[in-house]
Amino acid sequence: MRVKPHLGRMSATQAVALCEAALTHGSGLIDLTRRANLQIRGVSEAQWPALLECLCTLSLVDRDGEREGRRNILVAPEWQAGDDTVRIANELRDRLTEFPQLPGKVGFVIDAGEVSAVACEAGDFRVERGCDGTLVLRADGRAEGVRLTIGREVDALLALARWFVDSGGVQAKRMVRHGAPLPVWAMGDTRPASSPASLAPGEGRGHVAYGLPFGRIEARTLLALMQRLGVTGLRLTPWRVLLVEGASLLDVPGLLTDPADPLLRVDACPGAPTCPQASVETRDLARQLAPVVRGRLHVSGCAKGCASPLPADVTVTGRSGRYDLAFGARADAEPLYRGLDSAEILARLGAS
């Protein structure tokens, strides 16, 4: 079951209750996605109604299913109370029912802090800080956006979403695949401000950042973190890093605290036998490869590439029980080598 906290944040009380619900109604495993959402794993047909009621009571899921389906909003994780990101995201949430029906995976990005933080993360309709300090509306896949009038940002998002539907974007499913020329009013020449490096484990402004290997954490581990003295909340990021507000940095078994840990550069789906789409094991292989791969590593159980839609420096993809190997490619790209076993992959990449 997917959980999309507003502004990507839960209070300590909400986070503790979510962990307890994951242990009661699921397998006790929680995944952090690239959309900065949580997924409670292992929920059975018998248990999901009770879990849903619990999450609704916690105000983590909207009781209105249609409105919940529209709440695909990624925000810059280090927002500050009262800043432009919060102002725009709050208004967008409150006006979602004004938007046309969009494809299920279409989402919004609100990145209006002093610097751009999530310019490289996927999102179809974007309000971002421009390189000149203004706020910009940008359609995903376009390098530049149009400057916005302060206070009219959501109006512009609504107009762009309506254009997307009216111009056939529903058939394309995502803005980045929609080839129709933008309306003149949405064309601009302002690039988004350059993004700093994504957040790494360590102490930050009022929080401690912990990396999650492959984006997964055990509910008991998270529960223990959230019950520590002084913890006030939890923020989610699209980089498989959790921000624990009010905490001090401690080594926690199963979590990454070293910003140089090679697992921070790895994307790997659950693989076989967890996922029926996968034909190969993924995460054990990824752990063996991580120390020897320079740059980004992606190990995918199949060509869908669920762990990451982006090209990686080294990409290993499962196919019919064997592995394909590619470089600078997505999981669905044409491989350089086909049909390798795990020992051959390790040998080719210098891990054996």
Side-chain angles (χ1 to χ4, degrees), residues 183-236:
V184 173
W185 66 264
M187 295 181 182
D189 59 1
T190 304
R191 290 182 173 271
S194 58
S195 293
S198 57
L199 290 170
E203 295 184 347
R205 295 186 298 173
H207 66 253
V208 169
Y210 289 97
L212 276 56
F214 315 121
R216 175 162 289 184
I217 188 171
E218 293 188 8
R220 294 187 189 280
T221 300
L222 182 56
L223 182 62
L225 269 178
M226 300 312 299
Q227 291 177 324
R228 282 164 48 191
L229 184 66
V231 170
T232 58
L234 181 71
R235 296 196 188 196
L236 314 179

Side-chain angles (χ1 to χ4, degrees), residues 84 87-88 111-113 127-130 132-137 146-150 153:
D84 284 331
R87 174 180 62 81
I88 297 165
D111 188 11
V127 174
E128 301 168 313
R129 186 64 61 185
D132 60 358
T134 63
L135 288 177
V136 173
L137 173 71
V146 63
R147 295 181 185 88
L148 293 169
T149 300
I150 299 298
E153 299 90 356

Side-chain angles (χ1 to χ4, degrees), residues 53-342:
E53 176 60 29
C54 176
L55 296 172
C56 288
T57 301
L58 291 168
S59 298
L60 292 174
V61 173
D62 198 309
R63 291 186 184 276
D64 184 318
E66 181 178 352
R67 194 160 54 225
E68 173 67 19
R70 294 169 180 254
R71 285 198 317 112
N72 298 323
I73 305 172
L74 173 65
V75 301
E78 291 189 290
W79 52 263
Q80 300 295 311
D83 70 7
D84 284 331
T85 293
V86 173
R87 174 180 62 81
I88 297 165
N90 283 342
E91 183 182 350
L92 176 57
R93 175 200 56 187
D94 294 342
R95 296 180 60 186
L96 280 174
T97 55
E98 299 178 33
F99 282 71
Q101 191 65 46
L102 297 166
K105 291 189 176 182
V106 164
F108 303 88
V109 173
I110 310 299
D111 188 11
E114 294 181 359
V115 297
S116 181
V118 290
C120 296
E121 304 306 319
D124 300 85
F125 309 104
R126 318 175 67 92
V127 174
E128 301 168 313
R129 186 64 61 185
C131 60
D132 60 358
T134 63
L135 288 177
V136 173
L137 173 71
R138 182 166 68 92
D140 198 31
R142 281 69 172 182
E144 300 168 331
V146 63
R147 295 181 185 88
L148 293 169
T149 300
I150 299 298
R152 301 296 302 274
E153 299 90 356
V154 177
D155 291 335
L157 284 169
L158 178 57
L160 189 60
R162 287 173 173 165
W163 166 83
F164 178 79
V165 171
D166 293 343
S167 60
V170 172
Q171 288 71 41
K173 296 185 178 179
R174 301 302 299 269
M175 177 65 81
V176 74
R177 296 198 292 265
H178 188 36
L182 288 172
V184 173
W185 66 264
M187 295 181 182
D189 59 1
T190 304
R191 290 182 173 271
S194 58
S195 293
S198 57
L199 290 170
E203 295 184 347
R205 295 186 298 173
H207 66 253
V208 169
Y210 289 97
L212 276 56
F214 315 121
R216 175 162 289 184
I217 188 171
E218 293 188 8
R220 294 187 189 280
T221 300
L222 182 56
L223 182 62
L225 269 178
M226 300 312 299
Q227 291 177 324
R228 282 164 48 191
L229 184 66
V231 170
T232 58
L234 181 71
R235 296 196 188 196
L236 314 179
T237 81
W239 308 299
R240 301 196 173 105
V241 171
L242 291 175
L243 308 183
V244 182
E245 297 176 352
S248 56
L249 183 63
L250 294 174
D251 285 331
V252 180
L255 300 185
L256 307 179
T257 57
D258 180 358
D261 195 302
L263 285 179
L264 291 167
R265 297 182 280 103
V266 179
D267 298 300
C269 67
T274 302
C275 176
Q277 301 294 321
S279 66
V280 294
E281 188 282 325
T282 54
R283 290 183 173 174
D284 285 346
L285 179 61
R287 287 183 183 276
Q288 294 178 75
L289 291 175
V292 299
V293 169
R294 293 186 177 182
R296 199 82 201 170
L297 168 66
H298 183 189
V299 182
S300 182
C302 73
K304 289 173 63 177
C306 295
S308 174
L310 303 174
D313 297 283
V314 176
T315 301
V316 179
T317 304
R319 181 172 58 87
S320 301
R322 309 282 284 187
Y323 297 93
D324 292 344
L325 177 61
F327 299 94
R330 291 162 40 105
D332 58 358
E334 185 69 19
L336 185 61
Y337 301 102
R338 293 179 178 271
L340 306 177
D341 62 24
S342 58

